[in-house]
Amino acid sequence: MRAFFTAICIGLEGCDRMTPNTGLGNFERKTKLGVHTQSEFRIEGVVMDTVVESKATLKTPAYAAKSAKSPLAPFTIERRTPRPHDVLIDILYCGVCHSDIHQARDEWGGSIFPMVPGHEIIGKVVDVGTHVSKWKKGDIVGVGCFVDSDRTCDACRAGEEQLCEGGMTLTYNGYERDGKTPTYGGYSTRITVDENYMLRIPKGIPLERAAPLLCAGITTYSPLKHFGLKPGNKVAVVGLGGLGHMGVKFGHALGAHVTVLSHSPGKRRDALKLGADDFIATKDEDIFIENAARFDFILDTVSAKHDYNAYLNLLHYDGIMVLVGVPEEPSPLSAPSLIMKRRTLAGSLIGGIRETQEMLDFCAQHGVAADVEVISIDKINEAYERMLKGDVRYRFVIDLASLK
Ligand code: NAP
Ligand code: ZN
């Protein structure tokens, strides 16, 4: 047996692992281009498939936060050259999500630094691995909040990769499936992604306006569909920011009667222009009495701590409130707010690849896209401050041509 293993290692300088007679074997070799992993799938000693993975990397300009307290600044990362099922994407645009701020400032805990945020990515395919069948050079594609998952659990098999039992691989602030290679997001000029974790951007949506659909879009579309919003339902969207303004557009496109609940009275005109039928400024506490039991559905997109009970009381009997905003601090819940009118409180997390594609196609069909303010990358710290003040109409999008 030893002779067999030695034989298959001949010619592979640096071979460090033995290959079993049946199954997948890996061994490494060094060339001038870097370290490569060769995998052979064998059945009874016969090589059925040979795949060579390159570990060569591509130096890539990016913007990173080095710690929770530091502003974003220029940084260089390494992207892997495409493995057989990988696609190399030149990034054109990347949206700026409030989750980028939460994570870059470690507001949820456990952040990994240095961090290159960005999970609303639009780009162009510039290279594909040897086994890629879904994409070709020149395709315009999207990458959202995750770039891999365990692919075997019930959630993955159901196309709900965001709920992967083994944990999805976040586009940034996470680790690859090896558990040690950090992932870096879209505040960079290119990214290498597995072909199964990318989206097709339908023609007709301006690319900078498509970027926010990859997170803000799917995060609001998915709960409206999943929890069964119906035409004519009275839906309230709480918080008119990046997510909220997409919630208004989807609610309107799905035929619901949409009301915006906002703590910024100055957003009334915008809300109506975006497709809302009504607007309520929440600064006046009387509105919580005047509008009690009014809505069938509430989509709560607020990024800061607020009183869930006050909003639950605005639900009709059997109404549902879905949380998508993720405030830093927990908020108490009073049981009667749910019990007295058999209300439901739920949460929702982005959406799977299949549903994200469905949402993008829905947008192309219904003329839905994000309202954006395009910025150069050097304005990113200012953009974070403006977002915190609610001073964005309604999503910042970075033009990556500004990063060299
Ligand atoms: P954003 O653009 O900053 O919008 C948040 C909105 O919340 C603001 O525009 C504001 O709307 C409202 N708001 C902010 N501070 C408030 C306060 N102190 N009191 C009441 N309302 C306040 O943020 P975003 O990108 O839409 O993200 C919103 C939240 O969703 C974040 O927590 C983010 O992490 C989370 N998120 C969740 C998912 C998911 O899968 N569940 C995905 C992406 C993002 P008004 O001015 O109209 O009141
Ligand atoms: Zn996001």
Side-chain angles (χ1 to χ4, degrees):
M1 279 311 267
R2 179 78 212 164
F4 168 77
F5 286 128
T6 311
I8 63 162
C9 287
I10 286 173
L12 291 174
E13 194 190 321
C15 168
D16 68 351
R17 264 198 255 169
M18 292 183 176
T19 302
N21 202 25
T22 295
L24 192 69
N26 293 315
F27 29 111
E28 292 198 334
R29 62 186 173 141
K30 291 191 187 96
T31 71
K32 279 183 190 151
L33 289 174
V35 182
H36 301 261
T37 301
Q38 179 161 327
S39 311
E40 284 183 347
F41 181 68
R42 289 170 173 266
I43 295 177
E44 295 299 319
V46 178
V47 177
M48 308 302 288
D49 192 9
T50 303
V51 161
V52 177
E53 285 182 9
S54 173
K55 284 192 188 163
T57 54
L58 303 160
K59 280 207 182 317
T60 301
Y63 256 56
K66 294 218 169 122
S67 77
K69 297 257 181 279
S70 43
L72 291 143
F75 185 67
T76 302
I77 55 172
E78 308 275 341
R79 294 295 191 191
R80 62 178 189 263
T81 54
R83 300 186 296 216
H85 286 282
D86 278 345
V87 173
L88 181 65
I89 302 165
D90 267 2
I91 301 177
L92 302 170
Y93 295 103
C94 184
V96 181
C97 179
H98 204 114
S99 305
D100 298 351
I101 305 181
H102 288 307
Q103 293 174 91
R105 300 189 174 179
D106 199 17
E107 290 173 352
W108 296 336
S111 286
I112 303 163
F113 294 102
M115 182 190 300
V116 176
H119 58 206
E120 294 184 337
I121 299 169
I122 296 287
K124 189 189 238 182
V125 173
V126 290
D127 198 7
V128 294
T130 49
H131 288 28
V132 168
S133 56
K134 297 184 175 169
W135 312 101
K136 57 179 189 329
K137 282 186 200 175
D139 285 348
I140 297 295
V141 294
V143 179
C145 298
F146 57 91
V147 288
D148 211 338
S149 62
D150 76 14
R151 308 177 190 218
T152 56
C153 70
D154 290 350
C156 286
R157 284 206 303 268
E160 304 273 17
E161 301 89 349
Q162 80 283 15
L163 308 176
C164 173
E165 289 160 28
M168 61 177 160
T169 301
L170 292 172
T171 302
Y172 71 88
N173 195 24
Y175 293 105
E176 301 279 357
R177 302 312 293 174
D178 65 8
K180 60 181 186 206
T181 309
T183 56
Y184 296 119
Y187 297 6
S188 60
T189 58
R190 57 187 166 194
I191 188 168
T192 312
V193 182
D194 182 286
E195 64 171 330
N196 296 302
Y197 291 80
M198 298 164 43
L199 288 310
R200 185 176 39 77
I201 305 304
K203 285 203 169 67
I205 311 177
L207 298 185
E208 69 282 11
R209 299 186 64 196
L213 301 177
L214 277 313
C215 174
I218 185 60
T219 301
T220 48
Y221 178 86
S222 179
L224 296 181
K225 294 291 281 193
H226 181 81
F227 294 104
L229 183 78
K230 294 186 185 55
N233 274 176
K234 292 199 164 104
V235 60
V237 175
V238 190
L240 194 63
L243 265 57
H245 95 289
M246 289 310 308
V248 170
K249 290 185 183 217
F250 286 130
H252 178 73
L254 291 167
H257 181 279
V258 183
T259 301
V260 169
L261 302 183
S262 168
H263 84 316
S264 312
K267 290 183 183 174
R268 174 183 294 274
R269 255 187 58 197
D270 281 1
L272 301 180
K273 247 173 57 194
L274 290 164
D277 302 282
D278 202 354
F279 177 92
I280 298 174
T282 53
K283 281 205 163 137
D284 172 6
E285 290 195 356
D286 287 351
I287 69 100
F288 289 97
I289 298 159
E290 288 158 15
N291 295 281
R294 175 172 164 185
F295 300 105
D296 304 300
F297 199 119
I298 296 179
L299 183 65
D300 183 342
T301 75
V302 174
S303 54
K305 188 177 174 184
H306 56 292
D307 180 9
Y308 294 137
N309 304 296
Y311 291 93
L312 282 167
N313 285 324
L314 303 184
L315 282 177
H316 196 247
Y317 81 83
D318 279 344
I320 180 163
M321 174 156 122
V322 185
L323 307 181
V324 289
V326 192
E328 190 179 339
E329 289 172 68
S331 192
L333 183 68
S334 134
S337 309
L338 294 174
I339 291 169
M340 296 313 285
K341 290 202 183 288
R342 202 168 56 191
R343 295 164 173 133
T344 302
L345 178 62
S348 189
L349 177 68
I350 43 175
I353 294 291
R354 190 174 54 217
E355 195 179 37
T356 307
Q357 190 64 61
E358 176 191 307
M359 178 273 309
L360 289 164
D361 296 342
F362 178 95
C363 286
Q365 217 179 342
H366 291 82
V368 173
D371 284 24
V372 302
E373 185 175 331
V374 177
I375 57 167
S376 54
I377 189 100
D378 58 323
K379 294 280 184 286
I380 188 63
N381 294 303
E382 200 181 302
Y384 277 14
E385 292 312 316
R386 283 184 53 195
M387 249 175 112
L388 289 169
K389 285 191 245 151
D391 176 22
V392 49
R393 302 291 186 269
Y394 275 89
R395 197 57 138 189
F396 288 115
V397 172
I398 305 164
D399 179 352
L400 270 312
S402 63
L403 180 61
K404 295 279 176 280

